Amino acid sequence: NSLEYLTEPPKETTTMAKPQQTGRWLREVFDRVCLGQNIGKFSPTKKFRFLPTCDLVKYCGFCDDFGPMNITSIVQFIRVLDAELKSFPDCKVVVSVDKSKRNLTNAIFLLGAYLILKHDASVQQVLDTFSWLDNNIVEMYRDATFSDPTFFLTLEDCWSSLDKCKGLQWFEAPDDVSSELWGDIDCDEYAHWENPLNGDL
């Protein structure tokens, strides 16, 4: 059954729908974490929590660039998702996005990053987790230009790079995710310098 709720939380008896290019759908992608599109905001219940990615991550584009979420967004997403799962151990968390292909792509990237950094998943394990994904509902990343891009980056490319950084201990999740030091990255310092107002370094 397709998910038809706009203002109600999912029901335990609802069959998780297969994603379509348009319309509403919801799927549990890994233990207690669901991904939904066009489902509408709902109030928390004893079984479900609502987590809209648009409130967590921001991307400052210069042209028609579409790049993977930066380190600040990855850290913020992991902190919030981790806190929701720990604070409400009997609930499933519904990560929600609107109809935008780009927002859906970013949400999938962030969920994969969570698996790699928090659960030590391999890139192949992440790919297997999203093996149900229809490539028509996501968009490849591209560089900062209004003209036709000359190359693209896939989700696998980005997850592989993240996994490489983790393996080199350049960027990894600490035991306490509230810590500002993630591997060699000071999150406060990074957030300062990656801001376009501070040079976008």
Side-chain angles (χ1 to χ4, degrees), residues 156-169:
E156 182 178 359
D157 292 330
C158 299
W159 288 329
S160 296
S161 298
L162 189 62
D163 186 58
K164 182 70 172 179
C165 291
K166 177 174 173 280
L168 294 171
Q169 299 181 322

Side-chain angles (χ1 to χ4, degrees), residues 3 10 15-17 24-28 34-37 39 94:
L3 188 67
T15 300
M16 295 303 180
R24 306 178 189 93
W25 58 268
L26 177 70
R27 187 181 184 103
E28 185 168 5
C34 304
L35 177 62
Q37 190 169 32
I39 62 173
V94 178

